[in-house]
Amino acid sequence: MPLSWSRQHMIRDLIESTPAPGDRADVCIVGAGAAGILLAVELARHGRRVVMLEGGGEDIEQASQDTYRSEIAGLRHHGIHDGRFRAIGGSTTRWGGQILEFDAIDFEQRPWVEGSGWPISKRELAPYYQRAIELEGLASASLEDATVWRELGLAQPVFSNLDTFLTRWCPETNFSNLHASTLRNHPLVTVWLHANAVSPIVEGTHVRSVRCRTLEGKETTFRADRFVWCMGGIESSRFFLQPELAQMPWQRNALLGRHFQDHVVWHTWLDVTNRRKFLDVFGNVFSRGYKYQPKIRLSRSLQQRYRTLNVAAQISFESESGEIQTQIKTTAKKLLRGRVGDVTGGEIGRLVRHAPLLARQSWSYAVARRAYVPPDARIGLQIQCEQSPRADSAIRLSDSRDCLGLCRTRLDWRISDHEVDTIRAFAKVAQDSLAGIARVSDPSLSEAPDDSIRATCDDMNHHMGGMRMSASASDGIVDLDLKLHGMDNGYVCSGAVFPTSSFSNPTHTVLALAVRLAEHIGRR
């Protein structure tokens, strides 16, 4: 059942009350999305007293969402408005829950990718990826792809020049529900709702407190020994770019807000020539209560040979019954998880009206352990491409301000020739590698002008870059421990710190960094 946050002892609302005058936490976390919640859970495990500040409420509120209203200066970007959510749980209240690590090559310096190379390696992040899996509710999932295919009684698919892999999906996608016990009951964790951070209060190189304000203008400050901003990929840069902070160390670096990256998506349709074999390879998998999605990516050797960015693709299935299928699945999940009280009469009526479709879905899930694909479904290839970190793709500020007094975001998103060339290369390799089971309906990508390809690309709501992690203060905004260069006790944990973006969904890597940061702070 949904929690009544305001009635829980450790969940408080700045609209209704204020912190006691002497309150001081070990760590103040700004933002109660995925990163903030996991960081709080881990810090509490380390014995640290945590206060977490969330600008929204327990559910999405239009007034709070208005603070995200932004200007678009470059290419159109849907995710700046459609992919950010101000509420406890953040974007996990709306995402699908897909989990995937970055590849080792994503952390390496690649001579053909300008600006590539993280100051940490994949090997260093490996144990934190493992802990993140547990905190995401996937501890009992099969972590080796070969194991999942054996559970299905199938051999792992093999294609020339393309690697096959599986993503894993969180059974409970809303992290405020997944970690409700800690947020509600842990004596070391306090969450404040409607506490919008508007400014840090800094003395020299030390953050003393953070000033917060409700949308109605009520203001207070929160004090702590350390502060971690977990505000999301775009909002992090926006906060630290505010003109009132012009004398702060981070604003002395012209890289702040630059190298903004998303994942570039390009879609085409497939003519499937061997449907049964195709669905054996690409149909979504359900095994032991977990969902896995098969995908394909360009091999490391071809990335080097063709000098491409990292790139992958997933298969899309679209049919007239697609929306009904989604609604039925949503209702079924509520029933399977015992949330009977959340099921409306309309949902029950829909199940009854579409009983034959429900039966086919149930058989496919329970017996075949694959997602049901209707016979009339159109099948597409959705290419998802990494971006080169370009300085001219940037988060800047608008002249207009929101009701909190903060300058709004002005986003200048760019797609470079490198992304276009990578999409072309992947489409050609996919056309050759999938021969025998499918072919690309529109093979003319190689002849299309760059601008026409850009015009048909989209973003993925994956916001990265702007506060690059670096070993030296001249090369980025935060150091290897995610601490702001030039500051003693201020940290940033979000996709904003990524030097490069891979093709992979970024949440799992953000959460691995959160676990790593919790260990770093917990040891001090």
Side-chain angles (χ1 to χ4, degrees), residues 254-326:
L255 295 178
L256 178 63
R258 296 186 178 272
H259 305 109
F260 173 75
Q261 301 151 67
D262 205 309
H263 288 138
V264 180
V265 179
W266 186 82
H267 185 278
T268 189
W269 296 107
L270 295 176
D271 292 325
V272 175
T273 54
N274 188 329
R275 185 180 177 88
R276 180 173 180 178
K277 186 173 181 180
F278 186 91
L279 294 181
D280 278 348
V281 174
F282 291 112
N284 287 346
V285 175
F286 298 94
S287 183
R288 297 189 298 110
Y290 295 99
K291 175 184 173 182
Y292 306 83
Q293 184 174 14
K295 296 187 178 183
I296 47 178
R297 61 186 162 207
L298 199 63
S299 67
R300 181 187 181 111
S301 61
L302 282 195
Q303 289 181 53
Q304 294 172 318
R305 184 193 307 175
Y306 295 147
R307 303 176 69 82
T308 70
L309 298 155
N310 207 348
V311 60
Q314 65 184 26
I315 303 302
S316 64
F317 302 96
E318 297 185 19
S319 71
E320 292 183 1
S321 62
E323 184 175 347
I324 296 298
Q325 281 185 264
T326 300

Side-chain angles (χ1 to χ4, degrees), residues 118-134:
W118 287 49
I120 60 174
S121 67
K122 170 75 177 286
R123 179 177 296 179
E124 182 176 344
L125 209 55
Y128 306 109
Y129 272 132
Q130 177 58 45
R131 175 59 179 158
I133 282 284
E134 298 168 7

Side-chain angles (χ1 to χ4, degrees), residues 333-499:
K333 284 180 181 179
K334 293 177 183 178
L335 294 172
L336 290 171
R337 293 173 184 170
R339 293 162 52 189
V340 179
D342 292 348
V343 179
T344 66
E347 288 179 296
I348 295 297
R350 187 182 299 116
L351 291 181
V352 173
R353 288 194 305 275
H354 298 283
L357 178 58
L358 174 61
R360 290 192 291 271
Q361 282 183 295
S362 300
W363 183 91
S364 186
Y365 172 84
V367 180
R369 290 181 290 175
R370 308 303 286 265
Y372 173 67
V373 179
D376 68 337
R378 294 185 73 194
I379 298 177
L381 182 75
Q382 182 175 291
I383 299 174
Q384 187 169 313
C385 180
E386 174 187 19
Q387 284 206 274
S388 287
R390 292 178 42 156
D392 60 351
S393 186
I395 299 163
R396 300 186 175 92
L397 296 182
S398 164
D399 292 332
S400 66
R401 293 180 180 258
D402 64 18
C403 65
L404 297 168
L406 299 180
C407 291
R408 293 185 182 275
T409 302
R410 188 171 189 265
L411 180 64
D412 189 355
W413 184 46
R414 308 290 182 93
I415 297 176
S416 75
D417 292 346
H418 205 171
E419 286 95 272
V420 173
D421 291 342
T422 297
I423 290 170
R424 280 198 180 100
F426 185 91
K428 176 63 169 64
V429 172
Q431 172 79 356
D432 297 339
S433 299
L434 297 179
I437 60 172
R439 58 178 176 265
V440 177
S441 299
D442 181 10
S444 62
L445 184 62
S446 60
E447 303 169 4
D450 289 359
D451 287 344
S452 68
I453 296 174
R454 285 189 184 89
T456 56
C457 287
D458 207 344
D459 61 275
M460 279 289 289
N461 300 343
H462 297 161
H463 310 143
M464 297 159 284
M467 301 190 73
R468 185 183 180 95
M469 182 199 305
S470 65
S472 69
S474 61
D475 296 329
I477 309 301
V478 302
D479 67 13
L480 276 63
D481 295 319
L482 305 187
K483 183 166 64 67
L484 288 156
H485 283 299
M487 300 301 296
D488 300 330
N489 65 333
Y491 302 80
V492 177
C493 186
S494 78
V497 307
F498 289 11

